[in-house]
Amino acid sequence: MADAFVGRFVVESKENYDAFMKGVGVPDEYITMSRDVKVVTDITKNGDTLVVQRIRPQKTTTNNLTLGAECEIDTIKGDKVKVKPVMEGGKIVCKGEIYSMIMEMDGGKLKEVITFKGNTMSRVSKRE
């Protein structure tokens, strides 16, 4: 099931981006500068681990999500948080104390909902 997530995706839409970024403490100048950046998400698989790379002009982050095991990941702000990724109904659900991310494939598009410190944003990316 996780194989469906393997691929390269480019953001085509975001919801609540500015409020989310402001809510998690990202400076206004960074929000303005990165608002229209088309983040590339590259997902590969290494055994039971999904390797999720977020490629931005300023920085690339790589997170390893091992299904069923606690993982430490980097957030967009650079904070390290612990989550436990699991498959639920065809979705990858990563939950921790202050961070959660739900990824699902819908019609060949990657849909994500990210909640961090009580702030939520969503984005849709198309397969490249």
Side-chain angles (χ1 to χ4, degrees):
M1 196 64 118
D3 291 344
F5 292 87
V6 173
R8 192 172 176 94
F9 304 88
V10 178
V11 169
E12 70 178 9
S13 66
K14 306 179 232 192
E15 286 185 30
N16 204 40
Y17 176 80
D18 285 19
F20 173 85
M21 297 294 272
K22 193 172 197 81
V24 300
V26 174
D28 287 341
E29 59 271 10
Y30 180 83
I31 295 170
T32 302
M33 180 180 66
S34 61
R35 180 179 298 124
D36 297 321
V37 168
K38 298 294 184 192
V39 175
V40 175
T41 298
D42 188 48
I43 302 174
T44 57
K45 194 170 176 211
N46 182 4
D48 289 336
T49 301
L50 287 173
V51 180
V52 181
Q53 268 196 320
R54 307 285 188 182
I55 303 162
R56 299 173 181 85
Q58 309 92 328
K59 180 180 178 182
T60 296
T61 58
T62 302
N63 288 313
N64 295 303
L65 303 175
T66 304
L67 297 176
E70 187 176 74
C71 305
E72 185 174 79
I73 63 171
D74 290 314
T75 68
I76 191 166
K77 190 171 176 260
D79 297 323
K80 292 194 180 298
V81 296
K82 291 186 180 190
V83 296
K84 186 174 182 180
V86 296
M87 290 293 299
E88 286 182 8
K91 299 177 184 180
I92 297 173
V93 178
C94 304
K95 288 186 181 173
E97 268 185 44
I98 60 170
Y99 185 92
S100 73
M101 176 178 63
I102 300 169
M103 297 191 302
E104 70 176 303
M105 294 302 300
D106 184 8
K109 295 186 179 188
L110 175 65
K111 292 187 173 183
E112 300 174 88
V113 177
I114 301 163
T115 302
F116 182 40
K117 296 181 179 176
N119 300 280
T120 301
M121 71 167 278
S122 61
R123 64 180 160 217
V124 176
S125 301
K126 62 183 176 183
R127 198 176 286 274
E128 205 174 45

